Amino acid sequence: MRILISADMEGVTGVTWGADVKPGTPGWERFRPVFTGDVNACISGLVAGGATDILVNEAHSSQRNLLIEELDVRARMLTGRHKPLSMMQGIDSGVDGVVFLGYHAAAGQQGVLAHTYLENSITGVWLDGVLASEGRLNAALAAEHGVPVLMITGDDRCCEDAAAYVPEAERVAVKECVSRYAAICLPPTRSWELIISAAQRSMNRAGRGDPVPGPHRIEVEFDAAHLAMAAAVIPTVEQVDVLRVGFDAPDMTEAMKCFKIVTAIAAGATEPEWG
């Protein structure tokens, strides 16, 4: 049984602040071992449940955050940026299940460090008319390859969101959202116990199913008009409102590739002080 772990950082045990996940900051250095601990707990549970090959795809920011020298030796790690499928690189390699670890709620929703790809320029993303978190987007991409989402970890709002798009998956809330920058957190050892147990149970659902192909539409809303204008220069992307762009794609893989371009263009058009 081959399993992919897509590992983000905002939903990791104890993380509540931007500096906790910003590469190069003291907070980031502090939480790198905790992030690695969450991942290792997941690996332990998956192996206990029957996983024989585990690939961890670093999915946060620089995608060089996990401590490979502390990684469980039963896993391999895909690290570094500029992967064609980004957070979901490896989903097309014949895996039998995927875990979303350290995920978070969407832009436009309540949740610790809630956002969708860009920290503060995107106010909402809609997949086929439904407000979408990174988890919902990635679950649609997994479905296109017939890969079940086995488990999600993050705050309680992330888990509530996941219940709507993959209700059958295991969910582990490692913290309870108080605000975007505050949470009631479990100690790491307690989080790890919960993650191990849930990961082991989740292996009962491992195994590829029928792919779910088909066209999709994504719409993205920004907090400033010039970002929508900038994104609308991309072929196939249209500005549908002052703050919103949209595009259609023949499948989810193409949709996510276009979405990556939209976010990259918007990020490049954002000024440090004025947005």
Side-chain angles (χ1 to χ4, degrees), residues 42-60:
C42 183
I43 293 167
S44 292
L46 293 173
V47 170
T52 56
D53 182 20
I54 299 171
L55 176 64
V56 181
N57 178 18
E58 277 217 50
H60 173 71

